[in-house]
Amino acid sequence: MTRVLSRQDVDFLLYDWLGVDRLAEREHYAEHDRETFDATLDLAEKIAEDVFAPINQVLDAQEPRMGSDGKVEQPEELAKALRVYADSGLTASSFSHDHGGAQLPYVVRAAASTFLGAGSVGAYAYPALSLGNASLLVAHGTTEQVAKYAVPQIESRWFGTMCLSEPDAGSSLGDLTTTAVPQDDGTYRLTGSKMWISGGDHELTDNIVHLVLARTPGAPAGVKGISLFVVPKFLVGDDGSLGERNDVALVGLNHKMGYRGTTNTLLSFGSGAHEPGGRPGAVGELVGELGRGLTVMFHMMNEARIGVGAGAVALGYNGYLRALDYARTRTQGRPLAQRDPATAPVPIIDHPDVRRMLLTQKAYVEGGLALILYCARLVDEAATGDTAEARGTASGLLDLLTPVAKSWPSQWCLKANDLAIQVHGGYGYTRDFTVEQLYRDNRLNPIHEGTHGIQALDLLGRKVPQREGADLGELAARIGDTVARGKALGGATAEHSTALAATLDQLLETTQGLLLGGDVEAALANASYYLEAFGHLVVAWLWVEQEIAAHGREGSFFEGKRGAAHYFLTYELPLVESWLGILRTGDRTTVDLDPTAL
Amino acid sequence: MTRVLSRQDVDFLLYDWLGVDRLAEREHYAEHDRETFDATLDLAEKIAEDVFAPINQVLDAQEPRMGSDGKVEQPEELAKALRVYADSGLTASSFSHDHGGAQLPYVVRAAASTFLGAGSVGAYAYPALSLGNASLLVAHGTTEQVAKYAVPQIESRWFGTMCLSEPDAGSSLGDLTTTAVPQDDGTYRLTGSKMWISGGDHELTDNIVHLVLARTPGAPAGVKGISLFVVPKFLVGDDGSLGERNDVALVGLNHKMGYRGTTNTLLSFGSGAHEPGGRPGAVGELVGELGRGLTVMFHMMNEARIGVGAGAVALGYNGYLRALDYARTRTQGRPLAQRDPATAPVPIIDHPDVRRMLLTQKAYVEGGLALILYCARLVDEAATGDTAEARGTASGLLDLLTPVAKSWPSQWCLKANDLAIQVHGGYGYTRDFTVEQLYRDNRLNPIHEGTHGIQALDLLGRKVPQREGADLGELAARIGDTVARGKALGGATAEHSTALAATLDQLLETTQGLLLGGDVEAALANASYYLEAFGHLVVAWLWVEQEIAAHGREGSFFEGKRGAAHYFLTYELPLVESWLGILRTGDRTTVDLDPTAL
């Protein structure tokens, strides 16, 4: 059996570092204890390794096809695996008791999700999307909508989607043109095209619940004219029974480089392919208030973006473990000191450059996992913190860190996948090994749920200055606290803490310069470098945190933590200085260069 | 018609910068002038764009399969395209008059090759490999071997391969086990398995000429026991007629992430699948001296490695031009200063972050092309320079730069492909656009012909210290000369030159520390960072060179050169300092870390 993620690492981060077991002391989680957390992780780990991982390559090799009947064809292994998942009750576990759930802390669920994504990101996307869909309905839908559309998803009987993008409106949602016209019975009829809809059609469940952004007649231009609608594939009776086919049609499947287990679709709403109630138009119900569609949708955005980051970590981690196994068993060449060709070749892990590639992967994927779980812990704190102040602080810090949680793993855990291929040499370039698939799968993550460039603008243009910099101040205070604790420990940890503190000071100084310097246009044009610098600093901080949590503990696991922390602080942190240096130049090349010169 | 490479850029680099037209003044190239060079480039450009590019996606979608008869099946478009190529005489043009060639300068041929690789790297690999194969035979084979095995390749009637790797010996060729047993008639019989053989089998030509490394009975262990053999798929009579099928069998096709136009094979020599002369054993002829196989094979290695770099540039360049076209036509969103949703969306090239991604690609791919053509020009200088000293100097500098020419484009033009996908957003992740294929194709380049790690060891462990550092001294002198010329021009060029000079000093100082510091093990363990730093410095130098060549010239092409030079010197060069800083720490983590801690 292949490990897809290190349980020891997950346990270390959840319990030794984040003290997640103490969440059970809170009233909201009173039915839980470490045992129930562990049982959830055990279940997720088992499904990831025994059910999802074995079909992962099949899902890639047999990408979804549209049959002659217009239905999606996928390997039958997928439906079977997802039934095992559905029976596990894992989706429900995150929801409140009121909705049939186990009220599990978000951070435990996030760890479980990372396992499941590491097993097969393509298979897990269906329930993951449905979890987000149902959570949104629970937060913003009416009681009837929750019963009709959320509960079947909570029970994993149906899957759901998020329909935001259109062929000409992806990053700029304000330009979407799908319309929703109110009907006498209080419903709406939707017409328009939606692009990039993951899980947009399939035969895996009896129904599909689409959450669709659309514009009502006379609504203002831009984002303020957008509302949210729930549009099922099959209409649903008040008793939950399935009725007529709604006017939602599969126009085409996107043929992707990776992530092929998940159908990705162009959907047509209201094209007349079906005629519910005897006439064209996709029947939908308004969710929340008119004109608040994007706000409602973005209410879930922090969690959705952490979810993307978690998926990127999962893929990177899986690749790292495979590269590690390969490097331990594959023999080739000899160390410098032993060049005699008569001696036996050594496992390639004995070559320092291979060890460098493994250590780099380790630093990226374990750093990425720490980032995801830290942010997930903030989600719980924002929801159940002891005081309003604690909840507000956590919420603000989560806002600030979300673009990092989305983009840093999408960039650096993809880089880890790149290195996993490299460790495998020519074999890594073939489909006989999984690492090339992981690399292709992970390439999606810097694109969806807000591209890298969008995250950079979000961080520098919105999150850093928001609340007069209070969230950045909170982050700086927490890093400062870590630095103080790290320095007190002496040795390498103190040295790493000193380097971290110096880089933090540089970042804060550069940030001041950017925000107060007056040339907002140039600052934002270079926002991607800010995101790089900020992300690496945050992960460096979390590596010092891990080093502190590992302090004084013996054994190879903890030696590994110290080694990776040392690597990150020594080899990676200095890059921050380069990126900040670029920002300090205030260079306007990318603003001023005439596009015809490109 | 899609441009796959910029002819204007090629002309600028060849003529305005490198003064390649002046090569025609040399006796060896006396039959040439700019007109014949241009005619070659015209031909290559036309085949790349009209013949190779249109089939490139087909070759990817229909990867080679082994039919029930054991023969390779590929799209018929490939054979047709390669016949057009064969008829062009382009392969022959590089060879000397004695061998039916046009005695074209290598640098012109390299530019033509980059065009062809940009058209379809998978299609062009067959003649490119054959060119290398025939060149080796011309340099080291007997007159009979040249006539029998090289000439048909020079005429593009047959294709050839290089059979080095085995399933358990890729990077460590000294461990290869294929044996060659001498026969009474002067031939050898070979037995063994060869892995990763590109073009190892196909039905594209009547015969395939394998150059095979093998060990003779009683030969010493390691690289000194390796000899080189020419082993045809079909035996060849003295009159050039095809005879019996040789005992070379296709065991399997490797299923690759990309580069699928080129078959990549596991071949079995001497398995008894065929019985030439009535008995098993692949019939081969010794090329060059016994025990000198690796030396002979590596004689072509500089050119082979420049060829890999050229292929990486070609893929990156093609992607850049596609991203540029897309960014100019795709509309979405609005600039900062124009957020009114009632206004029309703008072409995405108007967004600074998109322009940043394009400018980065431009700096990488045009920088990479400059690097390849500079090295190719050194090949000509080493062969036809006016004095022995000039030839020796060029040869030494070429040796030094070869690991950079191989690895820098393999890394950074792959990064350019990554950015080309990102510019396309979700569309870039689908197979409807070519950029995802280019990214998959290019991922091979850091692996084959010596991995990135091997190039790093070659650079720091061998090339830099060789000839007591004379080649590095020559490089430093040339950079110094550029700096002096750049400073004299004033303005931005002077500033860039100053930054370049400062970074060169740092590199030289760090190099001294590494080579004289005593801890060779730690230095070599971190050799990859040295390769990063060295490569970026070299390309920064070539950007200042281009800026100087563009000095005083007006128009968007030259503005673009200045913009990309400014970008590279401002945004990329500072990374060198980070990498050198890592090297100066002399950190031993990757040497000392216990593998069990990973």
Side-chain angles (χ1 to χ4, degrees):
Chain A
M1 190 175 59
T2 310
R3 282 192 310 162
V4 295
L5 199 69
S6 162
R7 177 64 180 270
Q8 187 174 10
D9 192 23
V10 169
D11 286 346
F12 167 76
L13 294 172
L14 287 181
Y15 302 121
D16 295 355
W17 177 46
L18 294 172
V20 163
D21 34 346
R22 290 197 301 275
L23 279 177
E25 295 162 12
R26 294 187 178 170
E27 197 186 328
H28 190 75
Y29 305 123
E31 292 190 8
H32 286 285
D33 53 24
R34 174 152 177 181
E35 215 168 301
T36 61
F37 297 164
D38 283 348
T40 302
L41 295 173
D42 288 346
L43 189 56
E45 184 176 7
K46 197 171 163 50
I47 291 176
E49 292 182 350
D50 295 354
V51 180
F52 282 175
I55 67 165
N56 195 41
Q57 280 185 294
V58 176
L59 300 184
D60 183 64
Q62 298 173 38
E63 74 175 339
R65 294 192 312 173
M66 211 195 303
S68 53
D69 56 358
K71 290 186 178 176
V72 176
E73 296 173 356
Q74 290 181 280
E76 59 185 20
E77 290 93 331
L78 175 61
K80 210 172 139 190
L82 288 171
R83 276 196 297 274
V84 175
Y85 173 86
D87 291 343
S88 75
L90 273 169
T91 293
S93 64
S94 307
F95 287 84
S96 68
H97 300 316
D98 299 345
H99 300 104
Q103 225 151 282
L104 194 71
Y106 182 82
V107 65
V108 178
R109 170 70 207 189
S113 286
T114 311
F115 262 113
L116 293 160
S120 172
V121 79
Y124 181 57
Y126 299 96
L129 284 163
S130 307
L131 177 62
N133 181 310
S135 299
L136 191 152
L137 285 169
V138 165
H140 299 281
T142 62
T143 309
E144 291 73 22
Q145 286 171 343
V146 171
K148 275 168 75 174
Y149 304 114
V151 169
Q153 294 189 80
I154 291 171
E155 294 171 353
S156 289
R157 291 187 289 114
W158 301 350
F159 290 144
T161 75
M162 307 279 192
C163 302
L164 288 76
S165 295
E166 299 182 0
D168 288 318
S171 294
S172 69
L173 288 171
D175 290 320
L176 64 82
T177 61
T178 295
T179 56
V181 179
Q183 308 293 309
D184 293 343
D185 64 356
T187 65
Y188 289 75
R189 288 273 178 155
L190 281 79
T191 311
S193 293
K194 290 290 177 181
M195 184 60 163
W196 310 123
I197 310 309
S198 285
D201 204 2
H202 54 73
E203 301 298 317
L204 299 165
T205 49
D206 296 335
N207 204 1
I208 301 174
V209 178
H210 303 289
L211 287 172
V212 186
L213 291 179
R215 199 176 285 290
T216 47
V223 296
K224 291 177 183 168
I226 299 175
S227 305
L228 181 69
F229 300 87
V230 57
V231 183
K233 179 176 175 180
F234 289 93
L235 299 183
V236 183
D238 289 337
D239 61 350
S241 62
L242 292 189
E244 274 183 287
R245 180 77 148 88
N246 203 354
D247 194 5
V248 183
L250 174 65
V251 177
L253 291 166
N254 291 311
H255 299 287
K256 293 173 291 178
M257 172 160 58
Y259 231 105
R260 291 186 187 151
T262 311
T263 55
N264 187 274
T265 60
L266 173 58
L267 296 180
S268 177
F269 291 80
S271 65
H274 305 280
E275 303 198 338
R279 59 197 178 86
V283 178
E285 299 177 27
L286 179 70
V287 179
E289 291 171 38
L290 271 179
R292 301 266 301 159
L294 213 60
T295 309
V296 168
M297 192 63 104
F298 272 69
H299 181 88
M300 305 304 301
M301 199 42 82
N302 282 346
E303 293 175 33
R305 289 181 171 168
I306 294 171
V308 171
V313 168
L315 290 163
Y317 217 122
N318 185 336
Y320 165 57
L321 294 178
R322 288 172 189 271
L324 191 56
D325 281 352
Y326 187 81
R328 284 187 170 140
T329 50
R330 166 80 173 169
T331 59
Q332 190 158 184
R334 291 155 195 85
L336 261 188
Q338 178 204 329
R339 278 288 159 90
D340 178 3
T343 61
V346 298
I348 62 171
I349 201 170
D350 286 354
H351 299 303
D353 192 59
V354 172
R355 222 143 55 219
R356 172 189 69 79
M357 291 192 278
L358 291 168
L359 190 58
T360 305
Q361 289 172 68
K362 181 182 175 77
Y364 292 162
V365 305
E366 295 183 8
L369 184 59
L371 172 65
I372 294 303
L373 295 181
Y374 190 88
C375 290
R377 180 65 187 75
L378 287 175
V379 173
D380 287 316
E381 194 64 19
T384 67
D386 289 334
T387 64
E389 195 195 339
R391 293 192 293 274
T393 302
S395 175
L397 187 56
L398 177 64
D399 265 4
L400 178 70
L401 290 178
T402 294
V404 176
K406 193 274 174 181
S407 62
W408 196 91
S410 297
Q411 180 173 3
W412 298 98
C413 295
L414 173 61
K415 176 74 187 164
N417 287 134
D418 180 68
L419 290 168
I421 291 175
Q422 199 67 15
V423 168
H424 283 73
Y427 292 97
Y429 194 67
T430 71
R431 301 203 297 279
D432 296 341
F433 289 80
T434 302
V435 286
E436 68 87 28
Q437 180 187 345
L438 299 173
Y439 177 70
R440 287 185 289 107
D441 288 351
N442 219 349
R443 184 60 188 83
L444 177 61
N445 287 316
I447 299 173
H448 68 162
E449 298 287 357
T451 63
H452 203 74
I454 299 257
Q455 302 303 322
L457 289 174
D458 184 45
L459 178 66
L460 183 60
R462 189 178 307 142
K463 300 299 179 61
V464 164
Q466 81 186 0
R467 291 187 272 275
E468 294 178 334
D471 302 317
L472 179 61
E474 174 65 21
L475 176 68
R478 291 191 184 203
I479 296 178
D481 175 65
T482 305
V483 166
R485 285 183 286 120
K487 282 185 178 172
L489 293 179
T493 312
E495 283 172 30
H496 300 154
S497 301
T498 302
L500 177 65
T503 310
L504 172 65
D505 286 346
Q506 281 191 37
L507 178 99
L508 294 174
E509 197 186 315
T510 306
T511 306
Q512 287 273 342
L514 290 173
L515 296 181
L516 306 176
D519 192 348
V520 177
E521 197 179 19
L524 291 181
N526 288 323
S528 288
Y529 297 96
Y530 189 80
L531 179 63
E532 307 281 353
F534 197 99
H536 251 49
L537 177 76
V538 166
V539 174
W541 163 48
L542 298 180
W543 267 114
V544 176
E545 277 283 314
Q546 290 186 72
E547 192 176 11
I548 292 171
H551 186 75
R553 301 183 68 175
E554 289 179 9
S556 60
F557 177 81
F558 299 102
E559 284 305 321
K561 284 291 178 194
R562 282 186 278 275
H566 180 70
Y567 166 81
F568 202 89
L569 274 288
T570 309
Y571 288 71
E572 297 282 336
L573 187 64
L575 292 171
V576 176
E577 206 170 318
S578 299
W579 293 318
L580 293 177
I582 291 167
L583 290 162
R584 280 194 298 266
T585 64
D587 193 84
R588 291 183 53 91
T589 308
T590 58
V591 182
D592 294 339
L593 188 72
D594 186 336
T596 62
L598 283 163
Chain B
M1 189 178 59
T2 311
R3 281 193 310 162
V4 296
L5 199 69
S6 161
R7 178 62 182 272
Q8 187 173 12
D9 191 24
V10 169
D11 286 347
F12 166 75
L13 294 171
L14 287 182
Y15 302 121
D16 296 353
W17 178 45
L18 294 172
V20 163
D21 35 346
R22 290 197 302 275
L23 279 177
E25 295 162 12
R26 293 187 179 170
E27 198 187 327
H28 190 75
Y29 306 122
E31 293 191 7
H32 287 285
D33 52 24
R34 174 154 177 178
E35 214 168 301
T36 62
F37 297 164
D38 284 347
T40 301
L41 295 173
D42 290 345
L43 189 56
E45 184 176 7
K46 195 169 163 55
I47 292 175
E49 293 182 350
D50 296 352
V51 181
F52 283 174
I55 67 165
N56 194 40
Q57 280 185 293
V58 175
L59 299 184
D60 183 65
Q62 298 173 37
E63 74 175 339
R65 294 193 311 174
M66 212 195 304
S68 53
D69 57 358
K71 288 186 180 176
V72 176
E73 296 173 357
Q74 289 181 279
E76 59 185 22
E77 290 91 331
L78 176 61
K80 210 171 139 191
L82 288 170
R83 277 196 296 276
V84 176
Y85 173 85
D87 292 343
S88 75
L90 274 170
T91 293
S93 63
S94 308
F95 288 85
S96 68
H97 301 314
D98 298 345
H99 299 105
Q103 223 151 284
L104 194 71
Y106 182 82
V107 64
V108 178
R109 170 70 207 188
S113 286
T114 310
F115 262 113
L116 294 160
S120 173
V121 78
Y124 181 57
Y126 299 95
L129 284 163
S130 308
L131 176 61
N133 181 311
S135 298
L136 191 152
L137 286 169
V138 164
H140 298 282
T142 62
T143 309
E144 292 73 20
Q145 286 171 342
V146 170
K148 275 168 76 174
Y149 303 114
V151 169
Q153 293 189 80
I154 292 171
E155 295 171 353
S156 289
R157 291 186 289 115
W158 301 349
F159 290 143
T161 75
M162 307 279 193
C163 302
L164 288 76
S165 295
E166 299 181 0
D168 289 317
S171 294
S172 69
L173 289 170
D175 290 320
L176 64 83
T177 61
T178 295
T179 57
V181 179
Q183 308 293 309
D184 293 343
D185 64 356
T187 65
Y188 288 76
R189 289 271 179 157
L190 281 80
T191 312
S193 292
K194 288 290 176 182
M195 184 60 163
W196 311 123
I197 309 309
S198 286
D201 205 3
H202 54 73
E203 301 298 319
L204 300 166
T205 49
D206 296 335
N207 204 2
I208 301 175
V209 178
H210 303 289
L211 287 172
V212 186
L213 291 179
R215 200 176 285 291
T216 47
V223 296
K224 291 176 184 170
I226 298 174
S227 305
L228 181 69
F229 301 87
V230 57
V231 183
K233 179 175 176 181
F234 289 93
L235 298 183
V236 184
D238 289 338
D239 60 351
S241 62
L242 293 189
E244 273 183 288
R245 181 77 146 88
N246 203 354
D247 194 5
V248 184
L250 174 65
V251 177
L253 290 166
N254 291 310
H255 299 288
K256 293 173 291 178
M257 173 161 58
Y259 231 106
R260 290 187 186 148
T262 311
T263 55
N264 187 274
T265 59
L266 173 59
L267 296 180
S268 179
F269 290 80
S271 65
H274 305 279
E275 301 198 341
R279 60 195 176 88
V283 178
E285 299 178 27
L286 179 69
V287 179
E289 291 171 37
L290 272 179
R292 302 267 302 160
L294 213 60
T295 310
V296 168
M297 192 64 106
F298 272 70
H299 180 88
M300 306 304 302
M301 201 39 85
N302 282 345
E303 292 175 31
R305 289 180 170 168
I306 294 171
V308 171
V313 167
L315 291 163
Y317 218 123
N318 185 336
Y320 165 58
L321 295 178
R322 288 171 188 271
L324 191 56
D325 280 351
Y326 186 81
R328 285 186 170 142
T329 51
R330 167 80 173 169
T331 59
Q332 190 159 182
R334 291 153 196 86
L336 260 188
Q338 178 204 332
R339 277 288 158 90
D340 177 1
T343 60
V346 298
I348 61 172
I349 201 170
D350 287 354
H351 300 302
D353 193 58
V354 172
R355 225 147 48 220
R356 172 189 68 79
M357 292 192 279
L358 291 168
L359 190 58
T360 305
Q361 289 172 68
K362 181 181 175 76
Y364 292 164
V365 305
E366 295 183 8
L369 184 60
L371 172 65
I372 293 304
L373 295 181
Y374 190 87
C375 289
R377 179 66 186 73
L378 288 175
V379 173
D380 286 316
E381 195 63 18
T384 67
D386 290 334
T387 63
E389 194 194 339
R391 293 191 294 276
T393 302
S395 174
L397 187 57
L398 177 65
D399 265 4
L400 178 70
L401 291 177
T402 293
V404 177
K406 193 273 175 184
S407 61
W408 195 92
S410 297
Q411 180 174 3
W412 298 99
C413 294
L414 173 61
K415 176 73 188 165
N417 286 134
D418 180 69
L419 290 168
I421 291 174
Q422 198 69 13
V423 168
H424 283 73
Y427 293 96
Y429 194 66
T430 70
R431 302 203 297 280
D432 295 341
F433 289 80
T434 303
V435 285
E436 68 87 29
Q437 180 187 346
L438 299 173
Y439 177 71
R440 287 185 288 107
D441 288 352
N442 219 349
R443 185 59 189 83
L444 177 62
N445 287 315
I447 298 173
H448 68 164
E449 298 287 357
T451 63
H452 203 74
I454 299 254
Q455 302 303 323
L457 289 173
D458 183 46
L459 179 66
L460 183 59
R462 189 179 306 142
K463 300 300 179 59
V464 164
Q466 81 185 0
R467 291 188 272 276
E468 294 177 334
D471 303 317
L472 180 61
E474 174 65 21
L475 176 68
R478 291 192 184 202
I479 296 177
D481 175 64
T482 305
V483 166
R485 285 183 286 121
K487 281 185 178 171
L489 294 179
T493 312
E495 283 171 31
H496 300 154
S497 300
T498 302
L500 177 65
T503 310
L504 172 65
D505 286 346
Q506 281 191 37
L507 179 99
L508 294 174
E509 196 186 314
T510 306
T511 306
Q512 288 273 341
L514 290 173
L515 296 180
L516 306 177
D519 192 349
V520 177
E521 197 179 19
L524 291 181
N526 288 323
S528 287
Y529 296 96
Y530 189 80
L531 179 63
E532 307 281 353
F534 198 99
H536 251 50
L537 177 76
V538 166
V539 174
W541 163 49
L542 298 181
W543 267 114
V544 176
E545 277 283 316
Q546 290 186 71
E547 192 177 10
I548 293 171
H551 185 76
R553 301 183 67 175
E554 289 179 11
S556 60
F557 176 82
F558 299 102
E559 285 305 321
K561 284 292 178 193
R562 282 186 277 276
H566 180 70
Y567 166 81
F568 202 90
L569 274 289
T570 309
Y571 289 69
E572 297 283 334
L573 187 65
L575 292 170
V576 176
E577 205 170 319
S578 298
W579 293 317
L580 293 177
I582 291 167
L583 290 162
R584 281 194 297 266
T585 65
D587 193 83
R588 291 183 52 91
T589 308
T590 57
V591 182
D592 294 339
L593 188 73
D594 187 336
T596 62
L598 283 164

